Amino acid sequence: MNITLDADKCCAAGQCVLIAPDVFDQRDEDGVVVLLDAAPPAGQHDMVREAAAICPAAVIQVHE
């Protein structure tokens, strides 16, 4: 799995951080998503897929 994101479109909802905090974080100044691990271990894959699916701005792309 490889993850990319378009932070310019992020609406700072923070759902990704709640679901996969080892993979995503938010900038303190504006809440925009920060990718912590672009190639997470297999144990994180389901959470990453869920985070991508519920992202209201659809900024997370998962490449299997």
Side-chain angles (χ1 to χ4, degrees):
M1 171 180 281
N2 188 32
I3 305 165
T4 58
L5 50 84
D6 186 352
D8 292 337
K9 294 181 181 177
C10 179
C11 66
Q15 297 303 305
C16 57
V17 179
L18 293 174
I19 293 170
D22 292 333
V23 180
F24 303 103
D25 200 357
Q26 291 177 283
R27 296 190 307 219
D28 289 336
E29 63 272 13
D30 57 8
V32 169
V33 65
V34 174
L35 184 59
L36 300 176
D37 190 351
Q44 298 285 325
H45 290 188
D46 287 342
M47 291 179 279
V48 169
R49 287 184 196 103
E50 183 179 350
I54 69 161
C55 177
V59 302
I60 302 167
Q61 295 84 41
V62 176
H63 311 280
E64 301 282 347

